[in-house]
Each structure stands twice: as structure tokens, then as C-alpha cells.
């Protein structure tokens, strides 16, 4: 993976209408058209929610997402006094190799990705396999906001307010068989809309694949996200469905998922297949195990720039040791990086 020095954020918060205002206006119109009483307006149509994330650009939330949002359990805005990364940085400094190798490529190119309709296949060692339209796939789950650190293996980091649901809830729905030991995720393969999949650059054997041990997936911190900053996921961040495992390097958090398989063998994952001496299956954030080409002891928290590099110490398991360290008791984390 490439390391580049990012531009400082040039976010002008006053330039855009905060998304909740936009959504609430649209909802008022929708309610009027449907002849609904004003009391049916969602909870987030109020000023407090609208002020959560100023500067968020409006999206085009599918109706199922907008309908679920009123019941969302919102998180506290700060993670231990660490500020949420500005929306502009989180959406314009991305890794999504299907759309190009530069940090700005996903924002420039992912608009072409068609996220509606979207279906997700659940298969392998499950009692209830199937192909679901995303709206149906999402029906059983209540959304909640989780504000997590995101630490990339390239040694930059952010703090992102995700909206999603625990993978454990999905596993309960699909009923893994006794043979299921891992969960494998696959991204959409569509060279027509994904220039990275057409280019000769492709060291990657598409589709992008990631995986977790089943007990890792059951950990309450592991979520499937459908939104961020109070709105649906922008395409460049992995719309409409992505994984978020905050104690692992960012490359584990696979984007734009179309297949979820329960399997008995450890899946071959994308970066491990490309360079297993640099990227392991576990990929737990670990400041004591360096990448062969750079230190993992420190990280650049975005926004960062030449005069304000914003460098900080990296924490074991990205600061989530209390929640996840017990998953790795007895495992040599130097060998299983
Ligand atoms: N998922 C897919 N399908 N393709 C990718 O290239 N990049 C990964 C991960 N998920 C990637 C992916 C990497 S290296 C990182 S650091 C995170 O997405 C970045 O997520 P972000 O762009 O939302 O910050």
C-alpha cells in the first residue's frame, strides 16, 4: 500500500446544508404527499441531531435507510476526547482500489457505482442461506451509531461515526452450522463501473476478499455498517454495506459487500495473498510489531499536514484491548500478525 502526505482539510462547514436538515425537509414533503400526520415525523428531524455533524454533504438515502434512522441509537460524539474526523477528510482520503490507487480516486470515481438495487448472498455453512435484496436483508436489524477509531496499516488514522448493526445479530439470523469456523466477505466485482478492476495495476486478484474467525465476528465491536455521519455511506466509503472491525487495520474492513459466507477453513484474503510477509490474516493493530517497511508505533491522525502532522502513539488493538484482547489469549501475535 502506498503512503502519501494528505492535504489539510479544506472543509467549509457553512457551505453545505447539514444532512439531517436535508433529510427532514424531504421527509416533511414525503409525509405531506402521503397525507401523514406531523406527529409521524422522525425523531431526527430536530435541531440537536442536525447539529451533530456540521458540514456533512447530503446523500440519496434509500427509503429503507431513512425509515430506520428515527429508531437509531446514537453514540456520544467524542471518543475519549478525540474529535471526530471532518466528513470531508473521511470521504476524500480513501482506500478503495476498485476505483483507483490514489487517495482521491475513490471520491472521484465511485459515483458510477450503482448501489440500488443491491443484493447480498449468504451461503456456506448456514441453516438459512439465500440471496436477499438489501432492504430485506436489513429488516431484522436495529441501527446504532458507533464512533470508532480507524487505523490504516499505512499508519494514518481517523475517528468515524458509523451507523450499523453487530455481525452477531446477523449470525443469529442465518444460523451457522457446527462446521462454521470463519466468516468470509466478498466485494462486488464489476469492471464496467470499477476502473481498478480493468486496469493493469491490478496486483489484486478480484474480487476483494476479507475474513474473520467466527469468535472475532461475534465480538460486539464488529459491525456491518450502512451509514456514517448520520447519513447513508458515501460510495467511496463502501456503500451500501461494509465491514467495520475497529481493532484491526483498515484493510480488514471490506467495502461494498455482495457475499457473506460461513466457512470451515480460514479464507484466503486479498492483502495476505498479495504479500503475506507484510499483511497477515489477523491484522490486529499492534504498535510492537512493525510493518517490514515502516514502524507501526505511531500514526498520523487526519487532518494532518506538513506544519501540523498530528502524530500520536498507536495503541494496542487500536485502544480496544479491554474488549478484544481475550480473543487472542495464547496466540503469538508476532507470528500471527
Ligand atoms: N474494501 C475494498 N473492497 N477495496 C479496498 O481497496 N481498502 C481497505 C478497506 N476496505 C479496500 C476495502 C483499506 S486498505 C482501508 S484502510 C479501508 O477500506 C479504508 O476505508 P475508508 O476509505 O472508508 O477510510
Amino acid at each position: 500500500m502506498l503512503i502519501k502526505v494528505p492535504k489539510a482539510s479544506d472543509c467549509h462547514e457553512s457551505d453545505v446544508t447539514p444532512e439531517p436538515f436535508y433529510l427532514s425537509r424531504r421527509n416533511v414533503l414525503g409525509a405531506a404527499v402521503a397525507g401523514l400526520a406531523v406527529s409521524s415525523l422522525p425523531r431526527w428531524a430536530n435541531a440537536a441531531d442536525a447539529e451533530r455533524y456540521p458540514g456533512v454533504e447530503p446523500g440519496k438515502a434509500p427509503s429503507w435507510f431513512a425509515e430506520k434512522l428515527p429508531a437509531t441509537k446514537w453514540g456520544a460524539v467524542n471518543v475519549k476526547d478525540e474529535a471526530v474526523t471532518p466528513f470531508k477528510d473521511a470521504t476524500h482520503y480513501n482506500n478503495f482500489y476498485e476505483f483507483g490507487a490514489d487517495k482521491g480516486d475513490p471520491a472521484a470515481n465511485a459515483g458510477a457505482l450503482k448501489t440500488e438495487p443491491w443484493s447480498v448472498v449468504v451461503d456456506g455453512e448456514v441453516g438459512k442461506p439465500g440471496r436477499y435484496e438489501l432492504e430485506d436483508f436489513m429488516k431484522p436489524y436495529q441501527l446504532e451509531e458507533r464512533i470508532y477509531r480507524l487505523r490504516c496499516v499505512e499508519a494514518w488514522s481517523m475517528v468515524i461515526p458509523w451507523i450499523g448493526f453487530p455481525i452477531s445479530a446477523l449470525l443469529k439470523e442465518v444460523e451457522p452450522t457446527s462446521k462454521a469456523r470463519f466468516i468470509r466477505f466478498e466485494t462486488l466485482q464489476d469492471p464496467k463501473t470499477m476502473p481498478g478492476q480493468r486496469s493493469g495495476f491490478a496486483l489484486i486478484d478480484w474480487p476483494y476478499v476479507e475474513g474473520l474467525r467466527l469468535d472475532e465476528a461475534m465480538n460486539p465491536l464488529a459491525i456491518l455498517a450502512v451509514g456514517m455521519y448520520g447519513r447513508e455511506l458515501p460510495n467511496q466509503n463502501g456503500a451500501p454495506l461494509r465491514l467495520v472491525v475497529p481493532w484491526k487495520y483498515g484493510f480488514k474492513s471490506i467495502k461494498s459487500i455482495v457475499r457473506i459466507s460461513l466457512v470451515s477453513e480460514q479464507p484466503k484474503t486479498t492483502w495476505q495473498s498479495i504479500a503475506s510477509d507484510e499483511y497477515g490474516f489477523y491484522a490486529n493493530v499492534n504498535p510492537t510489531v512493525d510493518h517490514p517497511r515502516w514502524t507501526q508505533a505511531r500514526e498520523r491522525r487526519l487532518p494532518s499536514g506538513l506544519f501540523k502532522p498530528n502524530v500520536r502513539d498507536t495503541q494496542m488493538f487500536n485502544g480496544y484491548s479491554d474488549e478484544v484482547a481475550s480473543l487472542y489469549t495464547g496466540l503469538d501475535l508476532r507470528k500471527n500478525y
Side-chain angles (χ1 to χ4, degrees):
M1 288 181 217
L2 305 169
I3 299 192
K4 294 211 169 165
V5 179
K7 278 188 255 162
S9 165
D10 55 352
C11 182
H12 302 292
E13 291 173 351
S14 56
D15 288 353
V16 293
T17 308
E19 169 74 342
F21 281 139
Y22 168 81
L23 281 176
S24 60
R25 229 183 283 132
R26 210 170 48 184
N27 231 67
V28 169
L29 290 174
V33 169
L36 299 174
V38 172
S39 62
S40 68
L41 284 179
R43 190 192 65 80
W44 39 268
N46 70 46
D49 286 341
E51 282 163 13
R52 278 178 86 75
Y53 302 118
V56 173
E57 287 166 22
K60 285 189 195 132
S63 51
W64 64 262
F65 179 85
E67 279 156 23
K68 275 183 174 285
L69 218 48
T72 298
K73 285 195 270 172
W74 297 100
V77 169
N78 279 326
V79 176
K80 291 185 187 154
D81 298 327
E82 292 171 52
V84 166
T85 302
F87 180 78
K88 184 91 178 188
D89 295 85
T91 55
H92 288 78
Y93 189 89
N94 299 103
N95 280 335
F96 199 168
Y97 286 91
E98 285 85 338
F99 292 103
D102 284 340
K103 294 288 181 276
D105 287 345
N109 300 329
L113 179 68
K114 202 169 164 243
T115 57
E116 250 190 303
W118 190 273
S119 58
V120 181
V121 171
V122 179
D123 62 6
E125 296 294 342
V126 282
K128 291 203 266 172
R131 175 188 287 273
Y132 304 89
E133 287 312 309
L134 188 58
E135 181 171 0
D136 299 328
F137 177 82
M138 291 301 299
K139 273 204 179 113
Y141 313 116
Q142 197 198 336
L143 296 181
E144 49 188 287
E145 183 176 67
R146 299 282 186 89
I147 304 174
Y148 286 156
R149 294 179 206 94
L150 170 74
R151 169 60 157 82
C152 178
V153 74
E154 298 163 339
W156 51 265
S157 65
M158 304 192 192
V159 174
I160 312 275
W162 302 105
I163 297 173
F165 64 96
I167 305 176
S168 60
L170 166 74
L171 292 172
K172 210 166 141 198
E173 280 295 318
V174 303
E175 298 171 4
T177 70
S178 58
K179 289 190 192 142
R181 290 180 52 236
F182 295 88
I183 180 163
R184 178 186 182 278
F185 302 89
E186 198 175 291
T187 294
L188 177 72
Q189 188 164 14
D190 183 19
K192 278 200 304 299
T193 56
M194 295 175 149
Q197 291 183 342
R198 298 196 297 268
S199 91
F201 159 78
L203 283 173
I204 296 178
D205 184 15
W206 309 106
Y208 195 101
V209 169
E210 258 311 333
L212 299 171
R213 260 181 9 203
L214 208 53
D215 59 337
E216 294 180 308
M218 290 294 291
N219 186 278
L221 288 187
I223 60 167
L224 283 167
V226 290
M228 61 195 274
Y229 295 82
R231 50 160 285 176
E232 83 281 11
L233 286 173
N235 286 1
Q236 62 265 37
N237 293 88
L241 181 73
R242 73 173 286 172
L243 181 64
V244 180
V245 270
W247 70 96
K248 293 179 177 285
Y249 291 122
F251 68 84
K252 296 296 288 184
S253 291
I254 181 173
K255 298 177 170 182
S256 304
I257 294 167
V258 291
R259 180 181 291 262
I260 301 175
S261 312
L262 275 290
V263 292
S264 54
E265 303 289 328
Q266 182 175 305
K268 281 205 174 73
T269 54
T270 290
W271 285 100
Q272 197 191 16
S273 304
I274 294 170
S276 60
D277 54 332
E278 301 191 4
Y279 310 106
F281 176 79
Y282 282 94
N284 291 318
V285 175
N286 188 339
T288 69
V289 177
D290 285 341
H291 185 278
R293 291 182 279 130
W294 58 83
T295 175
Q296 294 292 26
R298 284 173 295 284
E299 66 200 54
R300 271 184 311 113
R301 173 65 52 85
L302 268 69
S304 96
L306 220 47
F307 299 110
K308 233 183 162 192
N310 208 5
V311 171
R312 57 178 64 215
D313 289 343
T314 288
Q315 303 178 67
M316 188 64 205
F317 295 117
N318 206 18
Y320 300 104
S321 291
D322 287 352
E323 292 89 343
V324 302
S326 63
L327 290 169
Y328 308 105
T329 309
L331 193 74
D332 182 343
L333 296 177
R334 293 208 152 264
K335 286 193 188 136
N336 297 282
Y337 51 84

